[in-house]
Amino acid sequence: MTYLVKPKLHHPTLARNEAGYTRRDYEGKISTLCAGCGHDSISAAIIQACWELDIQPHKVAKLSGIGCSSKTPDYFLGNSHGFNSVHGRMPSVLTGANLANRDLLYLGVSGDGDSASIGLGQFAHSMRRGVNMVYIVENNGVYGLTKGQFSATADKGSKSKRGVANTDEPLDMIGLALLLGATFVARSFSGDKTQLVPLIKGAIQHRGAAFIDVISPCVAFNNHPGSTKSYEYVREHNEAVNRLDFIAERDEITADYAAGTMIEVVQHDGSVVRLRKLALDYDPTDRIKVMNYLQERGAAGEVVTGLLYVDPQAEDLHENLNTVETPLNQLSERELCPGSVALERINASLR
Ligand SMILES: Cc1ncc(C[n+]2csc(CCOP(=O)(O)OP(=O)(O)O)c2C)c(N)n1
Ligand code: SF4
Ligand SMILES: [Mg+2]
């Protein structure tokens, strides 16, 4: 938490988006994270994506748990709704808010400790329920806020700052998200804004559970030789399967890619995620093949990044529950409560 508010004044000629906002209108308070922390780059990417998509700040709800990563919603979208929940409990708070008001864009921001340790059960159920959200894990392999203990995503054999090797098997958030039915699954690196911004834009326009695992080095506790979550290690082992362009529904689609090296995924709202294939045989629409590919490349020591899996026709929790189009928080008591006669009928049918 910070109380340092950025000066509101900005240059009158700053570019405005279609919604009439400058990029600065999507910023938050001044970050108190360590200089060079990957999490700050992810905040910048979120700001960029929301500005470019002309999102109305008051139509966003950002939710988080506890950790340096979970502090970051204070540093972006200062004019949006926000709720900093309990450690590991962000997914259930987000699910409840989403059920009450389906009209907002839900942005869940969490850490590897928050989502892969204490909040693992919560993470799992929000994925399998297909909650319409963008769920970002800022993955640094450690509990940064509590001084750098290994988290559940730390690779076996990777070393702590003091040189102690981790003896536990790592938990792969991407593999889990795929297994649990997430319908937009991506991995990226906080140091690669060119890849991360279109991924966030694609996830925002996706209907269903969109999960992005962003490797985000902790410069204070996990950026040394022997770490597999350092800037140097990720840069050396990064294998991108595709490069993305995100094209909003209103934008013209121009064809400037060679046929056979590009696929276009049209999402339900008409937006297009255009993927330039780097691994030519990679098909991000085949869940089983993606899971096999990631296991194989992971065993070879590669950190595979890009849009790994997408189901453009995904159904979300509201569709599965057959809820009304009007957000529940806008319905009157008369519409929400069927009344005592209906209740009596239901009770009678159960006797
Ligand atoms: C119930 C509970 N248990 C433990 C803690 C202590 N704690 C605070 S943050 C944290 C881990 C944060 O790690 P992560 O989610 O990876 O965030 P990072 O700081 O690395 O970004 C822990 C264990 C807590 N705040 N609440
Ligand atoms: S301790 Fe690590 S995760 Fe926390 S702000 Fe510093 S660099 Fe970032
Ligand atoms: Mg962490």
Side-chain angles (χ1 to χ4, degrees), residues 21 24 45-46 86 95 98 110 112 142 147 153 178 181 187 190 217 222 231 249 256 267 270 272 304 322 327 346-347:
Y21 298 107
R24 293 222 41 211
I46 293 172
V86 185
T95 305
N98 185 308
S110 179
D112 42 320
V142 288
K147 304 261 177 280
T153 65
L178 284 165
R187 187 189 282 125
S190 63
N222 206 13
Y231 281 108
E249 193 194 355
D256 57 353
Q267 305 216 87
V272 176
V304 180
N322 200 20
I346 292 167
N347 283 343

Side-chain angles (χ1 to χ4, degrees), residues 31 41 54-55 61 67 80 95 98 141 157 163 176 178 185 189 192 198 230 242 252 258 277 289 328 340:
S31 170
S41 308
D54 307 319
I55 286 176
S80 300
T95 305
N98 185 308
L176 268 180
L178 284 165
V185 180
F189 173 43
D192 187 353
S230 65
N242 44 44
E252 188 193 350
K277 290 185 176 199
K289 279 194 187 150
L328 299 187
S340 52

Side-chain angles (χ1 to χ4, degrees), residues 39 69 111-113 138-144 151:
H39 300 350
S69 34
D112 42 320
E138 305 191 343
N139 188 353
N140 53 18
V142 288
Y143 299 164
S151 80

Side-chain angles (χ1 to χ4, degrees), residues 25-27 46 55-64 72-85 93-94 97-98 101 103-109 329-330:
D25 293 319
Y26 294 82
E27 293 179 354
I46 293 172
I55 286 176
Q56 302 272 0
H58 68 279
K59 298 290 263 181
V60 182
K62 32 176 198 161
L63 296 102
S64 62
T72 63
D74 215 21
Y75 314 140
F76 59 81
L77 295 173
N79 296 311
S80 300
H81 305 279
F83 194 86
N84 191 203
S85 75
V93 178
L94 188 153
N98 185 308
N101 185 0
D103 250 9
L104 301 180
L105 157 65
Y106 288 91
L107 203 52
V109 177
N329 67 343
Q330 289 173 28

Side-chain angles (χ1 to χ4, degrees), residues 33-34 37-39 68 140 144-145 217-221:
L33 302 187
C34 307
C37 175
H39 300 350
C68 297
N140 53 18
L145 190 70
C218 166
V219 290
F221 301 109

Side-chain angles (χ1 to χ4, degrees), residues 248-259:
E249 193 194 355
R250 58 169 190 271
D251 296 340
E252 188 193 350
I253 299 174
T254 50
D256 57 353
Y257 289 90

Side-chain angles (χ1 to χ4, degrees), residues 119-130:
L120 186 57
Q122 297 245 332
F123 163 80
H125 292 292
S126 66
M127 290 299 144
R128 61 178 271 276
R129 286 183 177 135

